[in-house]
Amino acid sequence: MSERDDHEVIVVEALARVAAVTTTEELRELGTELLGRRSPLARAKAGLSSLEAGDRRAAGMALNAARQRIEQALDARSQELVAAERASRIAAERLDLSEVVPNRRRGHLHLVTQARDRLEDTFVAMGYTVAEGPEAESDWYNFEALNFPAGHPAREMYDTFYLEWGSPESTLLRTHTSPVQIRVMERSEPPIYSVMPGRCYRLDTPDASHLPVFHQIEGLVVDRGITFGSLAGTLDAFTEAYFGPGFRSRLRPSYFPFTEPSAEFDITCVFCKGEGCRTCGRTGWLELGGCGMVHPNVFAAVGYDPEVWSGFAFGFGIDRLVMMRHGIDDIRELITNDVRFLEQF
Amino acid sequence: MRVPLSWLRQFTPLDVPVEEVVATLDDLGLAVESVTRVGDGLEGVVVARVLEISAIAGADRIQAVRVDAGAGQSVPVVCGAWNFAVGDLVPLATVGTVLPGGMEIAARRMRGVPSEGMLCAPDELGLPGGHDGILVLDDLEEGEGSAPGTPLADALGLAPDTVLELEVNANRPDAMSVAGVARDLAARLGLGFSLPEPEVGGRQEPRRVEPVSVRVDDPERCGRFVAQVVAGITVGPSPAWIARRLERAGMRAINNVVDASNYVMLELGQPTHPYDLARLPGRGLGVRRARTGESLVTLDGITRTLSVDDLLICDGEDQPVGIAGVMGGASSEIDSATTEVVLEAAWFEPLSVSRTSRRLKLRSEASARFEKGCDWTGIDRAVARFCELLAPAGAVLAGSPVDVVGRLPDRPPVVLRVARVEELLGTSLGPDEITRLLDPIGFTTTPAGDGCLEVVLPPWRLDSTAEIDVVEEIARLHGYRRIPPTVPRSPLAGGLSPYQRDRRQLRQLLAGAGADEAWTTTFLSPSDLARCRLDAGDAVAVTNPLVAEESRLRTSLLPGLVGAVAYNARHRQTGVSLFEVGHTFRRRAASCDQQLPEEVEAIAYAGAGRDATEAVTVWHLVADGLVLDDWRLEAVTAPGLHATRTARLWCGDVDVGLVGEIDPDVLAAHDITERVAWLELDVARVLATPHGGGSYRPVSRFPSSDVDLAFEVDEATPAAEVEATLRGSGSPLLVGLRLFDVYRGDRVAPGRRGLAWTARFQAPDRTLTDEDVAEARRRLVAAVEQRHPATLRGSRPGVERIEASAGTAGNAAQGGAASSGERSEPGVHRPTGGSS
């Protein structure tokens, strides 16, 4: 039998063994056995030195060819096995992700907070700052400085909780966010572009649309050349920015001691988009809040010259806005603190 | 204020559709709250007399009635009401009628009994009086035109009409009358307007009528007092048209004298009060302050105790007969025997009426008008109108009125700068345009030079006193919506303050920790505080609470949140996590001379079904989220919290809050069966401490080494103290420290527990040698053993693991896997203060 035949036997046998291997681990061991230092091919190569130079060259070439064939077979088999092993691992690791039950949950911000943040952001984008003040207030900030002199009948528009603090009826829970207007004007010089959100209190028996504790946001602008038209334009711009394109506002004369001219402002009904529906009494408008030009007496109370500065103020209920936006028909839902309510938003 | 359209038309030729009237009123600031059509749908309703009432066998809620429907026609009707008797006159809706509510009347049988029509309750006819029974027309009994078969609309003077309900603001005294509303409407619509000129017959000579005396002791508060004797009256029901108008305007008809007084008030806005002269001792009226302790029974039958601040109307013998401007007394009420009345028509100082009415909690139609300010120049017209209305009942003026004038408002004209109008409104209106707008509502203008107008203010608009008031009227009559909108550009950068930004982050951190934001009430009862073991003595009291018990302002968010946990538990929602941001109020420790109570913005977390360790974890999340480095825990006791599971949180030397668990007794008092983890922080204090990260610290790229150190430590020594010692041991190589195991059991000495930390060492500039690590480790162990009753566990040193990981010390320390072979004991894993 020639050497060439010997090689052929080795190769055929090797290829058969390569084909029979089922894991990459075995294949690595087999590779060493077939091609390593103690392999038949290595031994045959070592035997080359005993040959004549001419034969040696031919035998060497044959040996290399045999080696290449085995190497190719090992490579090919290796690729097959890697692919197969990967496929079986992936198959074995299958997860039905719809079986997952989360073991952590994220909490939710209260709807009123969400609305307040959105409102603040809307005005911040218009160049406003956000100001705050105490909920337990003095009569001066809540009424007197806002042009409600003692005994003024307009005080009756606000059913007030008084606190046992100082002289009788000198300290109260603020009935609106408007005292913050006074605080802001007292501590800074115009121009002022500010919104003032916060909690307010009125002696209202709780029902579907009233709570003794509620939230308002107030706006105050004081600058040179501020007109009633500025008020109308600002509320319109806010309405569109907050509610979306197509939402408008309109003003109707009203009365507040701390503004003059005073107005109620309505917005396009959020339910019918102005078409007219039951909620808006078929008018296409919903009443949102009150507003007006800052009264000269209020400027006088904080020492601003009304001949130099003019301004407007507006305010409305955040809770009511939330109710409109989410179709909540009973304000008391907002304070049940039932997680089944809280986690909806 | 309810205004029938037909009444408005008496003053102005209103010829526009109702919708336009409503829109115009809205735009004038007289918001229309409702529009009601009355008197429609009564075409098929006739007056019928009840002939016979009989029971229906087997029915106890309906009965069979036979009525005379006129022309000898006897109609069977089945009826469910029982409030009438044979002989009564009642309204019958005949077959085919469609009632105002839309109900169509058909012939039918009930329980086999035929019913060919329906007897109607007031509301079914669109009339006041409700649905309690059939409308019994007893005041028609002897009247003309009330024979059976007469159409009901004719019998009651019910011409179809529209009633507008208006919301009148405090600054519109004029709009408290039909005439005032008509004046505004006419001005806006460009229509004519005129007040009625009452026609009063010649004055009767005071033959047997002696004059009445009038004495006004307080001319400051009673600016004008007119007393007019009206004689010859026969008291009886008012004519149907007056009664219907009153009803439609929301007042009940009583008798012709009282009705005439009310009619005049609704029409002209001037309240008047008729006294029965025969029952008025001393034939006189007086106005004076009440005396201390004086009392009076008002018309509503209630005894009112008065104060010296209240103004009284008295009889000629100085006995009170009414509270000025608020309500008359019961003693001189008009009754059927009255023939002579003395009519009081006065002007009272608005603020004093308001004070009295508020203090007595007694609101009346009169006080609502007086406190806004009536028109003292309209008194004579009102008196004449009263007499005119009563003329058909025989009334004549007896003698001249007694007219006492006191102090009346000074109404100097206002100088209006035309340019100021544009400055404030942002729209240009010339003097002619301004005059055109103001004159029709009684603000009469004359040019005053220098671009100014002099404006005389009408007495029916006492709210208007200054230039700005006139500007408002101009804007109102011009139309708010016609003023072009502009958006002023803020010259400021705007934005949230750092405090407001960080407070939003605090909320997000707590939400991220799994808590839902709650909103609990500010009001608590002393018993709420007691149930939470909080001291009610710290709480600020409410003078006039809505609910008597809820008379304190919260001193803590604890009662509210524990209450919310309990509420959820009662609704089978256990394991809830809640947080709240809100103000709490306290009496100041030092003294009460502070202007306001101490008010703190607090944030609190309550985790039901979790213990104090969860609260500490949440605090770690918060501190980490804010990048708050310098803080520590100090075991304390605090009211409402678990005595051995509570710690105060210190940031530097500032007490920022408490962390731990709710006291089990507090939980039991709320029927809460789970543990509740608790964290409360003073938002301002937390955010005032340095946070948010300082200067950059380079991250080493060299390999770090981890060493586990297990100590046996006395129970009395907090882990935090040992950890502080480890951190402060002076090894500059210590970059991470994590408590990974706590062991309690028989493999440590009694009264001690095992605490095991992983320490990570790393140098900023080189790879550590074994010797470096050993030295660092020795320092740590020595520091702990020296300063605390603690020993390194066992004789073996902690196993050293050298990791070839480059430069992720901080992360690795946070997330370090519990893979050391040394961690064989059972243990609790607790997070620590993070990387150093």
Side-chain angles (χ1 to χ4, degrees):
Chain A
M1 206 158 69
S2 71
E3 282 178 2
R4 185 174 294 264
D5 292 337
D6 287 349
H7 293 163
E8 190 61 27
V9 169
I10 291 169
V11 169
V12 167
E13 190 192 347
L15 294 188
R17 290 185 63 194
V18 167
V21 166
T22 55
T23 69
T24 50
E25 189 68 15
E26 285 171 31
L27 190 69
R28 207 159 30 245
E29 285 164 16
L30 183 62
T32 311
E33 190 186 331
L34 296 177
L35 301 173
R37 277 188 292 169
R38 294 184 191 143
S39 64
L41 285 179
R43 281 200 306 274
K45 192 170 179 185
L48 288 179
S49 56
S50 62
L51 296 180
E52 295 294 320
D55 293 342
R56 192 157 66 206
R57 180 180 165 78
M61 282 174 67
L63 211 53
N64 274 341
R67 188 180 179 89
Q68 270 178 21
R69 285 173 65 194
I70 294 172
E71 278 173 356
Q72 281 167 5
L74 282 168
D75 276 356
R77 184 61 185 155
S78 171
Q79 281 178 28
E80 280 171 23
L81 289 177
V82 166
E85 282 179 10
R86 179 189 141 78
S88 72
R89 175 185 169 176
I90 294 296
E93 289 183 355
R94 175 182 176 273
L95 282 184
D96 175 358
L97 296 185
S98 68
E99 289 169 1
V100 175
V101 178
N103 57 9
R104 286 188 303 272
R105 71 186 280 281
R106 194 186 156 75
H108 300 256
L109 297 190
H110 198 280
L111 261 186
V112 172
T113 299
Q114 294 183 32
R116 173 179 160 160
D117 288 355
R118 265 180 58 108
L119 290 165
E120 287 175 356
D121 292 346
T122 305
F123 283 105
V124 161
M126 292 165 75
Y128 287 57
T129 58
V130 179
E132 295 170 62
E135 293 170 12
E137 260 297 6
S138 67
D139 181 84
W140 163 260
Y141 287 105
N142 197 76
F143 286 130
E144 196 81 31
L146 288 164
N147 197 30
F148 291 82
H152 195 288
R155 287 190 175 207
E156 290 196 31
M157 292 154 66
Y158 307 85
D159 293 314
T160 309
F161 285 108
Y162 288 98
L163 300 179
E164 299 281 303
W165 196 267
S167 56
E169 305 206 346
S170 66
T171 312
L172 44 80
L173 289 172
R174 66 179 177 193
T175 57
H176 45 188
T177 40
S178 310
V180 189
Q181 286 186 28
I182 303 297
R183 289 182 174 275
V184 167
M185 287 191 278
E186 274 184 351
R187 67 174 177 239
S188 47
E189 289 296 316
I192 291 170
Y193 288 75
S194 208
V195 287
M196 295 150 252
R199 194 174 277 199
C200 307
Y201 301 84
R202 283 185 205 169
L203 202 55
D204 277 329
T205 305
D207 63 23
S209 50
H210 295 91
L211 280 178
V213 185
F214 59 98
H215 299 88
Q216 269 192 349
I217 188 165
E218 184 98 0
L220 174 70
V221 167
V222 182
D223 205 343
R224 290 175 209 274
I226 296 295
T227 69
F228 196 77
S230 321
L231 168 62
T234 299
L235 289 176
D236 227 23
F238 156 73
T239 304
E240 180 149 355
Y242 186 82
F243 291 97
F247 281 87
R248 301 296 313 275
S249 65
R250 68 168 191 183
L251 301 180
R252 287 181 291 114
S254 187
Y255 172 68
F256 306 102
F258 46 110
T259 52
E260 187 154 24
S262 296
E264 302 272 358
F265 72 96
D266 299 339
I267 55 158
T268 307
C269 176
V270 297
F271 298 103
C272 62
K273 309 273 186 292
E275 301 276 313
C277 66
R278 279 175 61 117
T279 308
C280 62
R282 313 207 185 283
T283 61
W285 297 95
L286 286 177
E287 187 179 318
L288 191 61
C291 60
M293 299 298 289
V294 179
H295 197 285
N297 292 354
V298 174
F299 279 152
V302 297
Y304 284 9
D305 183 352
E307 295 295 318
V308 176
W309 304 105
S310 56
F312 62 75
F314 58 86
F316 54 88
I318 302 177
D319 313 311
R320 200 172 129 65
L321 201 66
V322 164
M323 292 169 70
M324 279 187 206
R325 201 180 176 88
H326 296 279
I328 298 166
D329 51 15
D330 191 328
I331 192 171
R332 289 168 294 192
E333 280 289 353
L334 297 176
I335 57 161
T336 58
N337 297 315
D338 191 318
V339 289
R340 293 166 295 184
F341 174 81
L342 298 176
E343 67 191 9
Q344 285 177 37
F345 305 100
Chain B
M1 175 83 192
R2 290 163 61 94
V3 182
L5 218 49
S6 66
W7 207 341
L8 286 172
R9 288 205 182 92
Q10 212 157 305
F11 305 101
T12 183
L14 208 53
D15 53 359
V16 295
V18 177
E19 295 72 38
E20 196 179 330
V21 174
V22 169
T24 306
L25 287 169
D26 271 338
D27 204 33
L28 284 165
L30 298 169
V32 179
E33 295 193 313
S34 70
V35 179
T36 316
R37 274 295 286 177
V38 291
D40 278 339
L42 298 183
E43 292 78 10
V45 184
V46 299
V47 176
R49 188 179 295 280
V50 178
L51 299 175
E52 186 186 322
I53 302 174
S54 53
I56 299 173
D60 55 2
R61 290 178 176 276
I62 52 174
Q63 54 185 346
V65 183
R66 188 161 282 280
V67 296
D68 170 9
Q73 199 188 354
S74 163
V75 178
V77 190
V78 174
C79 184
W82 306 77
N83 66 319
F84 53 90
V86 170
D88 281 349
L89 289 176
V90 292
L92 170 71
T94 54
V95 171
T97 301
V98 179
L99 287 173
M103 184 194 286
E104 188 170 350
I105 308 300
R108 50 200 285 217
R109 297 180 82 83
M110 279 178 273
R111 298 260 177 182
V113 179
S115 183
E116 293 168 13
M118 187 177 92
L119 305 186
C120 303
D123 67 330
E124 288 162 340
L125 300 169
L127 297 175
H131 192 77
D132 291 341
I134 297 306
L135 174 63
V136 179
L137 304 160
D138 43 10
D139 55 342
L140 286 182
E141 211 48 55
E142 300 303 323
E144 300 256 323
S146 60
T150 309
L152 184 72
D154 294 350
L156 296 182
L158 282 172
D161 202 349
T162 300
V163 178
L164 308 176
E165 188 171 0
L166 307 182
E167 185 192 339
V168 179
N169 290 317
N171 65 332
R172 293 299 306 278
D174 63 314
M176 294 297 284
S177 69
V178 177
V181 173
R183 183 193 291 116
D184 240 24
L185 262 181
R188 171 55 83 77
L189 296 171
L191 304 172
F193 168 80
S194 56
L195 284 170
E197 295 301 333
E199 300 209 354
V200 185
R203 292 183 192 280
Q204 185 190 18
E205 285 307 309
R207 291 184 311 251
R208 59 185 179 82
V209 177
E210 298 166 37
V212 291
S213 66
V214 171
R215 203 183 79 228
V216 175
D217 287 349
D218 192 344
E220 292 291 316
R221 294 198 179 183
C222 177
R224 193 175 171 199
F225 194 97
V226 170
Q228 170 72 57
V229 177
V230 181
I233 301 170
T234 307
V235 174
S238 285
W241 68 272
I242 288 184
R244 293 313 145 222
R245 269 211 171 149
L246 290 177
E247 277 168 12
R248 286 174 183 182
M251 293 191 86
R252 209 156 45 86
I254 294 169
N255 61 48
N256 51 0
V257 176
V258 174
D259 293 351
S261 171
N262 286 336
Y263 191 98
V264 169
M265 176 180 69
L266 292 173
E267 182 171 78
L268 301 173
Q270 173 65 48
T272 59
H273 192 87
Y275 299 88
D276 185 343
L277 194 52
R279 294 163 67 199
L280 190 67
R283 283 188 75 83
L285 290 169
V287 184
R288 65 162 171 86
R289 297 283 192 94
R291 298 179 184 116
T292 310
E294 207 166 4
S295 67
L296 171 72
V297 180
T298 41
L299 272 174
D300 51 13
I302 296 171
T303 304
R304 310 280 177 175
T305 305
L306 305 161
S307 85
V308 290
D309 191 44
D310 299 325
L311 198 62
L312 290 181
I313 309 295
C314 296
D315 60 25
E317 294 175 357
D318 206 31
Q319 290 306 302
V321 292
I323 302 170
V326 180
M327 193 175 274
S331 61
S332 55
E333 219 178 325
I334 304 301
D335 64 22
S336 56
T338 304
T339 59
E340 287 177 359
V341 303
V342 51
L343 185 74
E344 164 207 321
W347 187 91
F348 301 110
E349 200 274 315
L351 280 183
S352 84
V353 174
S354 165
R355 277 199 305 274
T356 294
S357 144
R358 224 174 59 161
R359 201 176 49 71
L360 296 175
K361 295 191 170 57
L362 177 59
R363 311 297 312 269
S364 65
E365 293 283 343
S367 71
R369 287 167 175 80
F370 280 124
E371 71 179 21
K372 289 189 170 78
C374 290
D375 172 11
W376 63 90
T377 66
I379 285 177
D380 311 283
R381 186 190 310 276
V383 171
R385 182 70 169 141
F386 172 81
C387 203
E388 182 186 51
L389 289 171
L390 275 179
V396 287
L397 293 176
S400 302
V402 182
D403 190 346
V404 178
V405 177
R407 176 156 158 194
L408 288 164
D410 187 21
R411 306 275 287 161
V414 162
V415 175
L416 175 77
R417 293 165 289 170
V418 173
R420 186 72 177 153
V421 176
E422 181 172 0
E423 276 170 32
L424 287 171
L425 299 184
T427 192
S428 176
L429 295 169
D432 293 346
E433 181 66 7
I434 289 171
T435 298
R436 192 189 64 74
L437 293 169
L438 289 180
D439 278 356
I441 55 166
F443 288 70
T444 47
T445 57
T446 44
D450 269 352
C452 294
L453 292 171
E454 188 181 88
V455 183
V456 175
L457 307 168
W460 56 82
R461 287 301 303 273
L462 280 187
D463 61 292
S464 291
T465 56
E467 185 186 42
I468 189 69
D469 302 313
V470 179
V471 172
E472 179 172 62
E473 291 308 303
I474 294 166
R476 198 171 66 79
L477 272 297
H478 176 69
Y480 280 11
R481 287 166 222 167
R482 290 172 60 202
I483 295 171
T486 54
V487 185
R489 290 264 148 242
S490 166
L492 311 174
L496 299 178
S497 68
Y499 178 89
Q500 289 160 345
R501 236 176 18 237
D502 289 344
R503 185 180 49 196
R504 283 195 182 185
Q505 197 196 350
L506 270 177
R507 283 192 158 96
Q508 290 292 358
L509 286 166
L510 286 172
D516 290 319
E517 188 180 8
W519 159 16
T520 71
T521 184
T522 311
F523 300 107
L524 295 175
S525 67
S527 68
D528 290 333
L529 288 160
R531 274 199 304 166
C532 293
R533 304 200 145 203
L534 299 174
D535 182 4
D538 290 348
V540 177
V542 181
T543 310
N544 54 337
L546 187 62
V547 182
E549 305 86 67
E550 292 176 2
S551 60
R552 297 291 187 279
L553 301 186
R554 62 183 176 190
T555 54
S556 162
L557 301 179
L558 191 150
L561 283 177
V562 169
V565 167
Y567 174 91
N568 279 290
R570 282 200 300 279
H571 292 81
R572 302 190 64 241
Q573 301 288 321
T574 52
V576 301
S577 277
L578 297 170
F579 79 96
E580 180 173 11
V581 180
H583 291 212
T584 59
F585 307 81
R586 256 173 213 282
R587 305 188 147 278
R588 285 181 200 263
S591 65
C592 262
D593 55 79
Q594 302 284 348
Q595 206 193 354
L596 296 174
E598 181 178 282
E599 188 168 335
V600 167
E601 185 157 47
I603 184 165
Y605 157 86
R610 296 164 180 85
D611 65 15
T613 62
E614 175 71 9
V616 175
T617 303
V618 171
W619 162 248
H620 277 272
L621 293 176
V622 168
D624 203 38
L626 293 174
V627 195
L628 202 64
D629 286 334
D630 178 24
W631 63 267
R632 66 194 161 86
L633 292 172
E634 180 201 7
V636 294
T637 57
L641 300 184
H642 195 299
T644 58
R645 292 186 168 203
T646 295
R648 189 169 299 290
L649 292 164
W650 293 93
C651 286
D653 55 0
V654 180
D655 159 18
V656 298
L658 292 163
V659 63
E661 207 172 299
I662 302 290
D663 187 320
D665 288 355
V666 173
L667 297 177
H670 289 83
D671 294 328
I672 297 172
T673 54
E674 316 165 271
R675 288 183 182 274
V676 177
W678 180 255
L679 169 68
E680 65 179 77
L681 301 170
D682 178 322
V683 178
R685 288 189 183 180
V686 170
L687 297 182
T689 60
H691 63 278
S695 310
Y696 160 71
R697 282 191 308 259
V699 175
S700 172
R701 309 292 172 199
F702 290 90
S704 60
S705 305
D706 286 356
V707 173
D708 288 353
L709 296 168
F711 294 97
E712 198 176 294
V713 186
D714 268 14
E715 286 283 7
T717 305
E721 286 183 15
V722 180
E723 186 161 318
T725 301
L726 289 168
R727 284 184 200 284
S729 64
S731 170
L733 301 178
L734 182 69
V735 295
L737 194 61
R738 177 177 147 83
L739 178 68
F740 69 85
D741 192 54
V742 177
Y743 170 75
R744 287 187 173 83
D746 50 14
R747 288 158 65 187
V748 290
R752 303 189 122 202
R753 85 284 203 201
L755 298 171
W757 279 270
T758 296
R760 171 162 293 191
F761 299 114
Q762 193 178 30
D765 53 356
R766 63 198 163 88
T767 300
L768 296 180
T769 63
D770 288 356
E771 192 45 48
D772 290 332
V773 173
E775 171 56 25
R777 179 183 173 280
R778 263 193 300 279
R779 279 204 200 188
L780 263 56
V781 173
V784 170
E785 289 186 338
Q786 196 180 332
R787 280 180 225 167
H788 302 289
T791 47
L792 197 66
R793 289 188 64 195
S795 53
R796 293 173 301 159
V799 170
E800 290 173 21
R801 286 177 286 133
I802 312 283
E803 286 179 9
S805 70
T808 49
N811 296 340
Q814 280 290 309
S819 60
S820 164
E822 279 299 286
R823 298 174 192 179
S824 51
E825 302 99 332
V828 184
H829 289 273
R830 300 187 188 207
T832 72
S835 61
S836 63

